[in-house]
Amino acid sequence: MKKYLIICLLLIFSQQFAQEKVNNIMTLSEFLGYVKNYHPIVKQANLVINTSEAKLLKARGAFDPKIEVDFDKKLFKEKEYYNKLNGAFKIPTWYGVEFKANFEQNDGVFLNPENNVPLDGLYSAGISVSLAKGLLNNKRMASLKQAKFFLNQAKEEQQIFVNKVLYNASLSYFNWLKTYNEKLVYASFLNNAKVRFNATKRAFEEGEKPAIDTLEAQITLNTRKLNLEKGNIKLIKSSLELSNFLWLNENTPIELKEHIVPDINTFNSIDKTFNIALFNNENFDIENHPKIKALGFKIKSLDVEKRLKINNLLPKIDVQYNFISANGDQINSFNTNNYKAGINFSMPIFVRKERGDLKLAKIKLQDTRLENNAAKVIIRNKINAIQQELNSYILQNDFTFKIVRDYDVLLKAEERKFFLGESSLFLVNYREEKYIDSKLKAITLENSFFKAKASLFKEAVISIN
C-alpha cells in the first residue's frame, strides 16, 4: 500500500505544473494587429481625417476661378421688354484682391438706359480691392488656414482615438489570459484531488484510513470540480468579450474558436508589442505628445480666428476699377478714357458686434491655452504614476513568487507527512488551498501589471506597427 501511495505522490508532483496541450496560440501582437487593421471603430477614426481633408478641399474652393452667366429676358404682348446677358470670369487671390473680366450685351424696348451697350456688346476688365477690412485678412484666408490646422489636429486626435481602442482591446486580451491561466490552475489541482481521492478510497478499503478521510477527499474533489466549472464560464465570457474586437473587415465579425488560446508567455513580449521597451520618463518630450500637438494646432486655429475678428473692426472700403471697351479682341482698346469705377464704404458706429466677437475669440483662445498647460501637467503626472506603479509591481511580483514557492514547499512537505501517517488530510487540503490562493493572486498581480503597461501605452500615445 505504501508503494502505491508513493506512486500517487509522484503523479501529483508531475502534474502540479502541467498545462493543456494547445495547437493554436494567438499572441497579443497578432490580436492587436487584427484590431488595428480591421476593427470598424478604428476605420471610423480614419473618417475623421477624411472629413478634415474634405473641409480643406472646401476651403481651397474659395480661391477657385469662377465663371458667372446672368441672362434675363422679358417678353410681353409681342414686345421684347428687355434681353440682358451678363457674363463674367473672376479670379480671387490670397489677399483681398479680385481680378475680373466681363462681357455685357443688352437690348429691348424698355431697357433701362444705364444698361445700354453697343450692339456687339461691351467688354470690361478690371480689379476690385478691399482697402481696409478684408485686405490682409479675410474669411476665406482664415478658413483655409484653419482647415489646414484642423487636418493636422485630426491626425493627432486620430492616433489618440486608435490607441484608446487598442488599449481597450488589450484589456480584453489580458482578461482572457487571466481566466485561461486560472482555468489551468483549477484543472491541475482537480487532477491532484482525483488522485488523492482514489488513493484515500483505496486506503479505506484496505483498512488503513478511516471513512471520514474518504468523505473529506470527496468534498475536496467536488470543490475542485466546482471551481473548474466556474473557471470555464469565466473563460467563455472573456472569450466572447475578446471576440468583440475581432473582425475580418468592417462588415464581418468573427468569433474566437475554442482551440485558440492566449500566449502564456506574454510577460516576455509585452514591452515589444506596445513599443515601450525603450520608453524613458526622463527623455519623454511632452511637446511631441499627440494631445499637446493637437491642442497646439487648435490654439493656432483660434489665433487665426482672433486675428480675423480684429480685422473685422476695420471699416469696409471696397474699390473697383474696370476698363471698358466695345472691342474685346483688341487689347489696346482698353484705356483710361473708358472705365467704370466705384467705391463702397460702410462701418457700424458702435462696432459692438465686432467687439463682442473679438472678446469671445480671445476667451476661446485663452481657455485652450489653459487647457494645454493643464494637459501637460496631467499627462506628466499620469505617466510618472504609471512608472511608479510598474516599479512597485516588479517588487510585488518578486514577493509573490517567493510566497508561491514557499507554499509549494509547505504543501509537498505536508503531503510527505500525510503519506507517512504523520499528518491529516485536513492539513494537506489546507496547505493546498493556500497554495492555490497564492497562485491565483500571482495571476491577478500579473494581470494588473499588464494593465499598467497598457496604460503607459495609452497615456504616452505610443504608436505600434
Side-chain angles (χ1 to χ4, degrees):
M1 180 60 192
K2 290 184 178 180
K3 180 179 179 181
Y4 174 78
L5 291 178
I6 292 174
I7 294 175
C8 292
L9 181 62
L10 292 175
L11 286 174
I12 292 175
F13 293 158
S14 65
Q15 293 175 358
Q16 190 71 33
F17 299 100
Q19 297 179 345
E20 291 185 5
K21 183 179 179 180
V22 296
N23 298 320
N24 295 282
I25 296 175
M26 182 169 66
T27 65
L28 175 63
S29 178
E30 292 171 339
F31 170 66
L32 294 181
Y34 279 114
V35 176
K36 187 174 182 180
N37 291 323
Y38 302 113
H39 198 279
I41 296 182
V42 176
K43 298 287 186 182
Q44 185 181 4
N46 295 330
L47 295 179
V48 177
I49 295 180
N50 296 337
T51 301
S52 298
E53 289 175 343
K55 289 181 178 179
L56 177 59
L57 181 63
K58 178 181 177 182
R60 284 175 174 160
F63 295 91
D64 290 345
K66 294 181 181 179
I67 296 176
E68 296 180 353
V69 177
D70 184 15
F71 178 73
D72 199 8
K73 181 176 182 178
K74 181 177 180 181
L75 187 66
F76 182 66
K77 292 184 179 181
E78 299 181 355
K79 288 184 180 181
E80 189 177 71
Y81 275 58
Y82 54 79
N83 189 350
K84 296 186 293 184
L85 173 65
N86 194 323
F89 178 69
K90 299 178 180 179
I91 303 177
T93 63
W94 179 249
Y95 296 102
V97 179
E98 183 177 77
F99 296 97
K100 179 180 179 181
N102 191 76
F103 173 74
E104 187 177 2
Q105 188 175 39
N106 306 317
D107 57 53
V109 178
F110 298 105
L111 187 67
N112 192 320
E114 71 175 11
N115 292 327
N116 288 331
V117 296
L119 293 176
D120 292 333
L122 186 66
Y123 297 87
S124 65
I127 185 174
S128 63
V129 182
S130 297
L131 295 180
K133 177 181 177 181
L135 176 61
L136 301 178
N137 200 340
N138 53 59
K139 186 170 181 59
R140 65 188 179 196
M141 292 168 58
S143 295
L144 182 54
K145 289 179 181 179
Q146 287 181 314
K148 292 179 179 179
F149 291 137
F150 285 150
L151 177 58
N152 291 326
Q153 180 182 343
K155 290 179 180 178
E156 302 299 334
E157 291 178 345
Q158 186 254 7
Q159 185 178 349
I160 297 173
F161 188 83
V162 170
N163 272 43
K164 286 183 179 179
V165 175
L166 295 178
Y167 167 76
N168 291 328
S170 66
L171 294 186
S172 294
Y173 184 91
F174 298 146
N175 186 45
W176 180 45
L177 174 61
K178 176 176 178 286
T179 55
Y180 177 76
N181 283 331
E182 288 175 346
K183 178 193 171 185
L184 292 182
V185 171
Y186 293 137
S188 174
F189 285 96
L190 174 61
N191 292 330
N192 291 351
K194 287 180 180 178
V195 171
R196 192 177 296 119
F197 172 74
N198 292 331
T200 304
K201 183 178 180 181
R202 178 67 61 86
F204 165 71
E205 292 173 348
E206 293 180 0
E208 297 184 4
K209 293 288 182 181
I212 194 68
D213 284 353
T214 305
L215 179 60
E216 186 170 353
Q218 184 175 346
I219 292 174
T220 302
L221 175 61
N222 289 330
T223 301
R224 300 288 182 268
K225 289 180 179 179
L226 177 61
N227 290 337
L228 179 59
E229 182 61 25
K230 290 180 179 180
N232 281 328
I233 293 300
K234 290 174 65 177
L235 180 60
I236 291 172
K237 290 176 65 177
S238 63
S239 300
L240 292 174
E241 180 184 347
L242 190 79
S243 297
N244 293 333
F245 294 93
L246 289 175
W247 295 70
L248 286 177
N249 53 56
E250 60 269 21
N251 297 319
T252 310
I254 57 177
E255 186 174 330
L256 194 68
K257 301 300 181 181
E258 292 183 1
H259 65 278
I260 303 295
V261 298
D263 180 16
I264 60 175
N265 296 315
T266 299
F267 183 89
N268 299 325
S269 61
I270 188 169
D271 284 351
K272 182 179 179 180
T273 300
F274 283 140
N275 198 23
I276 57 176
L278 301 178
F279 182 85
N280 191 324
N281 196 21
E282 295 180 357
N283 298 329
F284 176 65
D285 187 4
I286 191 67
E287 297 298 334
N288 286 327
H289 191 279
K291 174 69 173 178
I292 303 305
K293 292 173 71 175
L295 287 172
F297 289 123
K298 185 178 180 181
I299 289 173
K300 291 179 180 179
S301 176
L302 291 173
D303 187 60
V304 170
E305 183 178 350
K306 185 195 76 172
R307 284 187 273 117
L308 177 62
K309 302 304 181 184
I310 292 175
N311 185 264
N312 288 341
L313 295 174
L314 299 175
K316 180 181 179 182
I317 307 175
D318 295 338
V319 298
Q320 57 177 327
Y321 186 92
N322 296 277
F323 299 98
I324 56 178
S325 172
N327 302 311
D329 55 345
Q330 299 177 14
I331 300 299
N332 58 3
S333 65
F334 292 95
N335 55 67
T336 57
N337 294 327
N338 301 309
Y339 67 89
K340 183 171 62 174
I343 183 170
N344 180 273
F345 173 85
S346 67
M347 180 177 181
I349 295 177
F350 299 110
V351 203
R352 285 182 290 196
K353 177 181 181 299
E354 290 74 12
R355 287 189 287 120
D357 287 340
L358 178 58
K359 284 185 178 181
L360 290 174
K362 288 181 177 180
I363 291 172
K364 288 182 182 179
L365 181 58
Q366 181 65 17
D367 180 69
T368 306
R369 284 174 174 165
L370 293 173
E371 181 184 357
N372 184 56
N373 294 335
K376 290 180 181 180
V377 175
I378 291 172
I379 292 172
R380 282 198 186 98
N381 289 339
K382 280 186 177 180
I383 291 177
N384 184 47
I386 293 171
Q387 292 280 57
Q388 299 285 348
E389 186 179 11
L390 288 171
N391 292 335
S392 175
Y393 280 138
I394 293 174
L395 293 175
Q396 291 180 49
N397 184 68
D398 183 56
F399 294 140
T400 304
F401 172 79
K402 292 178 181 178
I403 293 172
V404 172
R405 181 196 61 193
D406 292 344
Y407 271 124
D408 182 32
V409 173
L410 283 175
L411 175 61
K412 290 177 180 178
E414 200 66 47
E415 285 177 328
R416 290 192 194 97
K417 291 171 63 179
F418 173 73
F419 286 115
L420 292 174
E422 298 178 1
S423 181
S424 65
L425 188 60
F426 172 80
L427 287 176
V428 173
N429 289 336
Y430 175 78
R431 299 292 189 197
E432 189 176 70
E433 286 289 347
K434 288 293 185 179
Y435 183 41
I436 293 173
D437 185 59
S438 65
K439 294 196 74 171
L440 293 178
K441 286 181 178 179
I443 293 172
T444 301
L445 179 63
E446 182 186 61
N447 180 260
S448 299
F449 178 75
F450 289 159
K451 287 181 178 179
K453 290 282 188 179
S455 296
L456 179 61
F457 162 76
K458 183 189 73 167
E459 296 300 335
V461 194
I462 299 172
S463 59
I464 59 176
N465 298 327

